[in-house]
Amino acid sequence: TCFKGEGHALVDGLLRIGVFKNAELRLINAYHIGETDNAKGFGAIKTGMKMGLRPEKGGWPAISFLGHITFTNFGEESLRPTYITPDFRFLFSKTFTDIFSLSTNFGMEWDGVTAVSRPLYTASLGISITDWLGGYTELYGFFPEAYGPEHSFNAGFTVWVVENLQLDAFYGIGLNDRVNDKFFGMGFSWRAFQ
C-alpha cells in the first residue's frame, strides 16, 4: 500500500533469513505505481522478525509473533511514511488432518501518516490437494479508528514446481465499500539455503 495517495504494488519483495530454529529476520520492499499522484518507485523499507512462541501440541495451536518497523528515510520520498511505523500480529495455526489446516492472526498496524491505528484480523483455511498442489481461502480485515471496518476475501493456489521453488496465484473481492471490489496477484518463493 502506498503511504501517500492511492496506488498499487507491482512487485513485492520479502527476504527472510533464519537466525534460530524458531526465529527469522525479515526485510520487505515493493515497487509502487500511484493512481492519483503519479508517484512511482520503491516504497519505504520495512524490517522485522517472526518468532515461534509455542509449537502446536495436542489441541492447542502453534503460536508465533510477527512484528515490523517501516522506516522514513528509504525509498521514493512520496511513498515514505511521515512517521516510523510499527505493525505486529500474533499468529495461530492448527493442523486438523493431512489435508486441512486453519491459520488466524490478530494484531495492529499504524498508517504512517497519522497516529491512527488499525486493528486487524485474518482467518485462512489451507487445503493440501496433492504433494505439490495446495489451495487456500482467506477472510481478513481492518478496523481503523477514523472510519468504518474494511473486510476482504480471497482464494488461491500454490504449486511446488521443484523442491525449492513455489508458485502462487490468488483472486479476491472486497466485502464492503471501504475496499477494492476485485484484486489479484501472483508470485513465487525461492528457498536459497537450507
Side-chain angles (χ1 to χ4, degrees):
T1 301
C2 295
F3 280 98
K4 300 173 184 172
E6 296 297 323
H8 301 285
L10 292 185
V11 179
D12 261 328
L14 167 61
L15 174 65
R16 303 186 308 174
I17 302 170
V19 290
F20 301 108
K21 185 177 180 181
N22 66 336
E24 67 183 27
L25 297 178
R26 300 162 62 90
L27 185 67
I28 302 169
N29 200 296
Y31 188 85
H32 296 275
I33 292 184
E35 286 181 350
T36 57
D37 56 6
N38 296 319
K40 62 182 175 180
F42 285 97
I45 291 178
K46 182 184 285 193
T47 185
M49 68 173 298
K50 180 179 178 182
M51 177 174 287
L53 301 177
R54 183 186 193 288
E56 183 176 343
K57 188 172 182 180
W60 294 95
I63 303 172
S64 301
F65 174 81
L66 177 63
H68 299 103
I69 294 176
T70 304
F71 294 97
T72 60
N73 52 352
F74 298 101
E76 182 66 32
E77 187 173 352
S78 62
L79 299 173
R80 298 178 198 167
T82 305
Y83 305 104
I84 293 175
T85 310
D87 67 76
F88 70 89
R89 59 197 71 194
F90 289 93
L91 304 102
F92 305 85
S93 60
K94 176 68 178 159
T95 303
F96 293 107
T97 68
D98 291 341
I99 298 174
F100 295 104
S101 62
L102 179 67
S103 299
T104 61
N105 65 66
F106 306 94
M108 186 85 71
E109 68 179 25
W110 282 259
D111 69 7
V113 179
T114 68
V116 174
S117 63
R118 299 194 317 168
L120 60 90
Y121 75 93
T122 303
S124 178
L125 177 66
I127 305 165
S128 295
I129 300 168
T130 68
D131 288 344
W132 55 272
L133 178 65
Y136 69 91
T137 60
E138 182 178 52
L139 175 68
Y140 65 95
F142 304 91
F143 298 92
E145 290 179 6
Y147 42 85
E150 305 169 354
H151 303 289
S152 298
F153 174 82
N154 69 58
F157 290 95
T158 59
V159 179
W160 285 101
V161 179
V162 293
E163 183 178 354
N164 292 326
L165 176 62
Q166 176 183 285
L167 304 180
D168 62 85
F170 67 87
Y171 179 82
I173 58 172
L175 300 179
N176 61 359
D177 59 4
R178 296 285 320 155
V179 292
N180 292 329
D181 289 338
K182 300 178 181 77
F183 53 93
F184 68 92
M186 60 187 70
F188 71 92
S189 299
W190 173 260
R191 182 169 42 193
F193 306 102
Q194 293 189 48

